[in-house]
Amino acid sequence: MSTSLKPGAKLQVSAEALEQKGTMTAHTREFDLVLFGATGFTGALVAEELLARGGTVRWALAGRDRAKLEGVKARLTALSKTAGDLQILVADSHDAVALDALAKRTRVVCTTVGPYHQHGLELVRACAENGTHYCDITGETPFMRRTIDAHHRTAQSTGARIVHACGFDSIPSDLGCLILDEAMRLRSGAPCDEATLYVTKMRGGASGGTLASMLGLLDAAKREPELRKVLLDPYALNPDGERAGPDGPDAFGLSLEKEGFVGPFVMAGVNTRVVRRTNALLGYRYGRDFRYREVSRYRRSVMGALRCGGTSLGLGALLGAAAIPALRGVLARALPKPGEGPSKEQRERGQFRIALVGTNRVNGVPNRVTARVEGNRDPGYGFTAIMLSEAALCLACDTLTSEGGVLTPASAMGMTLVHRLRGAGMVLAAD
Ligand SMILES: NC(=O)c1ccc[n+]([C@@H]2O[C@H](COP(=O)([O-])OP(=O)(O)OC[C@H]3O[C@@H](n4cnc5c(N)ncnc54)[C@H](OP(=O)(O)O)[C@@H]3O)[C@@H](O)[C@H]2O)c1
């Protein structure tokens, strides 16, 4: 696995972390798993999932406000008496001492405290230095880039697996490409030359926390040219010295292809970077010339064309309104606030359908494979809570072959996580 420590960067590793390296499976720590951010909209859903699927895992609730955490614990205890034994840990996301203490007590930290560029850096540092595995649901590429630059090398030395993007961004893309690659190798003995992810259905809402993260990123991008560069770089998350390849900017136009009308997909700018980092971290398993894109797809019909145009215009209008101060206030009043999000009914009515198509040519013979990634709940919350809790349990309970570092879901947990998510009701299938 490649490293990306900047010349002169400090490598800080606690003696305890070095002792822990390789012995974490011996359950030397008080907790297997701590959920940080349990009082938030998504954190509360993840807490319910952990309660339902955690089994004998020793876990605890963490956040900055003890009284609010007691409220979460009481709600969980009403669902299952076993939650009455959950311990509560208090730490602010900017308190380095408290975060070090928290990271030393557990083998895994799972965090929903966002926006991550505001609240996430100290926790990643604490986990990397203390040899504690970590997972989150960030979709903020500049934040991931910063943790790679600052903590990848440290995490390699302590054995901490730091895994970003364990929600709807970017597990369906990252694990979808992994199973597509397996299918193509079985079919042709070689990886795909190129792959496209088509989002064919996505029904769900947004939370205040997600909107705050997106708007915060837009604001920061207006101020900081360096950050804009990261957002626009198709290889923004690749190791240093490997930030180039055949892919260009994400598709923004509308077109009619064999598969139907296609338009932009709002999360492509995050997911494609994660998939390309996975490829690099897995020693270019998908090939150095692998080309990858993500788009939304609609039927080849008048209605399909109208939907494609309408959705793309809507996305453009939302981003445009967010950039204009006068409209920004109107948006802020109309959209959910931090702590708010889609109702239980909306989450249960939600769903997502994704199709992946991979192609290659071996000895002049063209090959084509397809895969599906699907779930019958709202992708951003209902299914994100399942994906994050299964990723956290995977880091805590399963035997994994990956080494430490700032990783991606597929490079850290690979097929082990695929099997877990299939067991949790997610479709991850190569056709
Ligand atoms: N990738 C995906 O698919 C996906 C899906 C959903 C959400 N997300 C991301 O997840 C994050 C959370 O979203 P959300 O809607 O759950 O947000 P939210 O409801 O606003 O929750 C934020 C959480 O952060 C905590 N927090 C805020 N400041 C803190 C501090 N200084 N120290 C410790 N904790 C602090 C809050 O604690 P208090 O309760 O004490 O205020 C709360 O628990 C966002 O970044 C969002 O973009 C990603």
Side-chain angles (χ1 to χ4, degrees):
M1 207 175 276
S2 4
T3 63
S4 58
L5 189 69
K6 288 243 153 88
K10 262 197 307 186
L11 184 59
Q12 270 188 356
V13 178
S14 73
E16 190 188 336
L18 289 173
E19 254 171 51
Q20 288 280 354
K21 193 180 177 189
T23 64
M24 293 253 287
T25 48
H27 291 215
T28 48
R29 297 193 180 184
E30 187 180 351
F31 302 111
D32 296 316
L33 170 50
V34 168
L35 170 62
F36 189 50
T39 56
F41 184 78
T42 318
L45 299 177
V46 175
E48 284 183 27
E49 293 299 337
L50 287 173
L51 187 65
R53 58 189 72 237
T56 57
V57 165
R58 302 161 305 155
W59 67 290
L61 300 169
R64 62 174 164 177
D65 184 329
R66 179 173 292 278
K68 268 178 127 174
L69 288 163
E70 291 288 0
V72 173
K73 180 173 161 177
R75 283 194 294 279
L76 293 173
T77 310
L79 296 175
S80 162
K81 283 204 174 72
T82 56
D85 296 333
L86 287 173
Q87 282 200 46
I88 286 177
L89 314 184
V90 178
D92 188 277
S93 64
H94 301 285
D95 182 343
V97 174
L99 293 176
D100 273 321
L102 185 151
K104 283 182 175 136
R105 291 175 73 179
T106 179
R107 296 170 54 243
V108 178
V109 173
C110 164
T111 173
T112 55
V113 174
Y116 290 89
H117 66 274
Q118 260 176 38
H119 295 296
L121 282 169
E122 262 316 320
L123 180 60
V124 173
R125 178 209 53 76
C127 289
E129 289 180 7
N130 289 289
T132 305
H133 303 317
Y134 163 106
C135 55
D136 69 24
I137 47 173
T138 185
E140 299 162 47
T141 38
F143 165 69
M144 296 187 236
R145 183 70 245 169
R146 283 183 73 182
T147 71
I148 293 166
D149 291 337
H151 305 301
H152 178 67
R153 178 79 187 280
T154 308
Q156 281 185 309
S157 71
T158 62
R161 298 184 180 99
I162 306 292
V163 194
H164 296 306
C166 292
F168 186 63
D169 356 318
S170 301
I171 279 190
S173 309
D174 208 23
L175 297 185
C177 283
L178 195 71
I179 58 172
L180 193 74
D181 174 74
E182 292 235 328
M184 183 56 101
R185 282 166 186 276
L186 272 176
R187 168 79 51 90
S188 70
C192 298
D193 294 336
E194 60 178 76
T196 299
L197 179 146
Y198 298 99
V199 178
T200 58
K201 188 163 215 166
M202 200 170 81
R203 193 193 298 156
S207 71
T210 296
L211 294 164
S213 297
M214 287 173 76
L215 295 177
L217 202 54
L218 280 178
D219 288 345
K222 270 199 278 178
R223 288 190 309 268
E224 299 172 39
E226 269 311 302
L227 198 137
R228 279 202 296 280
K229 257 198 337 232
V230 171
L231 285 173
L232 293 174
D233 178 357
Y235 293 89
L237 300 181
N238 275 38
D240 271 349
E242 300 174 39
R243 288 171 71 173
D247 280 321
D250 303 304
F252 271 108
L254 311 180
S255 58
L256 177 60
E257 299 184 1
K258 204 173 108 214
E259 312 278 349
F261 285 99
V262 304
F265 171 48
V266 62
M267 297 319 298
V270 181
N271 298 335
T272 54
R273 281 57 169 170
V274 170
V275 167
R276 290 176 195 129
R277 179 166 179 78
T278 292
N279 189 24
L281 293 181
L282 294 180
Y284 293 94
R285 181 183 169 83
Y286 308 155
R288 282 197 180 262
D289 295 326
F290 175 65
R291 294 190 305 282
Y292 180 64
R293 65 175 184 145
E294 296 195 350
V295 288
S296 301
R297 189 179 77 195
Y298 306 82
R299 283 168 203 255
R300 279 177 85 98
S301 64
V302 175
M303 193 49 87
L306 289 174
R307 284 215 172 102
C308 181
T311 311
S312 307
L313 278 177
L315 179 62
L318 188 70
L319 291 176
I324 300 169
L327 295 179
R328 179 71 171 266
V330 180
L331 264 187
R333 280 192 295 281
L335 296 172
K337 315 278 172 295
E340 298 173 0
S343 67
K344 189 166 190 291
E345 292 68 35
Q346 286 170 322
R347 294 196 304 273
E348 282 170 1
R349 275 204 314 271
Q351 55 173 290
F352 64 94
R353 299 273 180 275
I354 284 170
L356 290 107
V357 179
T359 55
N360 76 5
R361 186 172 280 272
V362 179
N363 298 328
V365 179
N367 298 290
R368 181 177 187 275
V369 288
T370 59
R372 285 175 296 129
V373 186
E374 299 173 358
N376 278 337
R377 278 201 217 174
D378 152 74
Y381 302 93
F383 241 105
T384 283
I386 294 176
M387 290 187 253
L388 181 62
S389 52
E390 286 295 348
L393 292 169
C394 186
L395 288 172
C397 305
D398 298 343
T399 305
L400 300 171
T401 52
S402 57
E403 292 174 359
V406 178
L407 310 175
T408 57
S411 63
M413 294 170 273
M415 290 306 288
T416 311
L417 184 57
V418 170
H419 294 309
R420 269 192 172 273
L421 290 170
R422 283 176 180 156
M426 187 163 158
V427 175
L428 279 151
D431 297 318

